[in-house]
Amino acid sequence: MAAGKLTSKQRVAWTFLTIGVLLYALFPVASIFVTSFKTQADLGSNQFWPTTWTWDNYEMIFVGGAQELFLTALRNSIGITLIATAVAVVLSTLCAYAIARLNFPGKRIILGTALAVSIFPVISVVTPLFNLWRTIGLYDTWLGLIIPYLSLTLPISIWTLSAFFRQIPWELEQAALVDGATQWQAFRKAIVPLAAPGVFTTAIIAFFIAWNDFVYGISLTSTEAARPVPAALAFFTGASQFEEPTGAISAAAIVVTIPVVVLVLLFQRQIVSGLTQGAVKG
């Protein structure tokens, strides 16, 4: 058997293993999807499939009683996430370039600190941040969420881009400088275009992290002025006090998952390319 070539039994084993992992990972999503089409009567039963498929839950979040809560939260999520992603990409690009290209004391400490921040428990930061934001007037504002989101997105962005910048030949920038370009022109016209796959990958990852945040969204907001969708789902109510909002919550969860799925399907090659190129030491 040639090196690296799988036998028939190994292919079958890997196929069953892959199918098992996919079923394990996708079953919760399938359950939420099915629940979003259930009637209130079906929600109380133990059946997986609804006896009657209905769009009532989607109508509730778009034109019904949960319309204002959901659509406002959706607008907040889109705006806050896009701004946080854009700021994180710009700052991490500049920081990663400096770390990859320049020799200065403390470079490893910066990378280590970024990694430490990324693994620091978010819940331990919420209380002091809550008190600080109330004092300086950032509580329940877009800016009050964008700044904490940067603490989530910047570390992974810096690590991803710094690894990617190391793969770009240093001679290209030197050639641009010899031709009369300034340091900024060489960076903008020679380095950034080559780093586009890594920058794009970083933007996608940062978007996912900010889009899915719940802890900051629920702790640093009190009204619909800045509350994002993950936090707003906790405030869904049924048509009456005796009615569970499970169907409406499931419908809203499916809606906010669609952008993530669409982005991955459309740009999966760019994402894989950016991650693999940044992971290979050239």
Side-chain angles (χ1 to χ4, degrees), residues 30-152:
S31 177
I32 295 173
F33 178 78
V34 171
T35 302
S36 68
F37 289 97
K38 287 184 176 182
T39 62
Q40 192 64 32
D42 288 334
L43 290 174
S45 66
N46 294 325
Q47 294 181 345
F48 181 79
W49 299 104
T51 57
T52 303
W53 293 74
T54 179
W55 290 92
D56 290 347
N57 296 315
Y58 290 91
E59 292 179 358
M60 180 180 296
I61 64 174
F62 283 112
V63 297
Q67 173 189 6
E68 184 176 355
L69 176 62
F70 176 73
L71 294 182
T72 303
L74 185 61
R75 181 201 63 193
N76 293 335
S77 284
I78 294 174
I80 293 171
T81 301
L82 289 179
I83 295 173
T85 300
V87 175
V89 169
V90 172
L91 293 180
S92 62
T93 299
L94 298 175
C95 183
Y97 171 80
I99 291 174
R101 293 304 198 202
L102 304 178
N103 291 321
F104 57 90
K107 184 165 66 173
R108 293 183 178 273
I109 296 177
I110 294 176
L111 282 175
T113 303
L115 182 62
V117 170
S118 66
I119 63 176
F120 202 77
V122 175
I123 193 65
S124 62
V125 185
V126 168
T127 299
L129 199 59
F130 171 84
N131 294 329
L132 177 62
W133 267 206
R134 290 288 297 268
T135 302
I136 64 178
L138 289 180
Y139 181 74
D140 201 24
T141 63
W142 278 28
L143 185 60
L145 286 180
I146 291 172
I147 295 176
Y149 283 0
L150 292 178
S151 69
L152 300 176

Side-chain angles (χ1 to χ4, degrees), residues 185-211:
Q185 289 174 333
F187 169 73
R188 182 169 55 90
K189 296 182 179 181
I191 301 300
V192 172
L194 294 176
V199 174
F200 186 83
T201 302
T202 301
I204 295 295
I205 295 175
F207 179 87
F208 291 165
I209 294 174
W211 182 263

Side-chain angles (χ1 to χ4, degrees), residues 159-160 162-165 167 272-282:
W159 269 85
T160 302
S162 61
F164 195 89
F165 276 124
Q167 314 310 315
V272 173
S273 174
L275 290 176
T276 54
Q277 290 187 44
V280 177
K281 183 69 176 178

Side-chain angles (χ1 to χ4, degrees), residues 1 3 9 36 56 97 124 162 177 195 207 219 232 236 239 243 266:
M1 182 182 68
K9 291 183 178 180
S36 68
D56 290 347
Y97 171 80
S124 62
S162 61
L177 295 175
F207 179 87
S219 304
F236 273 32
E243 184 176 307
L266 290 178

Side-chain angles (χ1 to χ4, degrees), residues 261-273:
V261 175
V262 170
L263 286 175
V264 172
L265 293 178
L266 290 178
F267 304 111
Q268 55 182 328
R269 290 187 178 181
Q270 289 86 341
I271 295 173
V272 173
S273 174

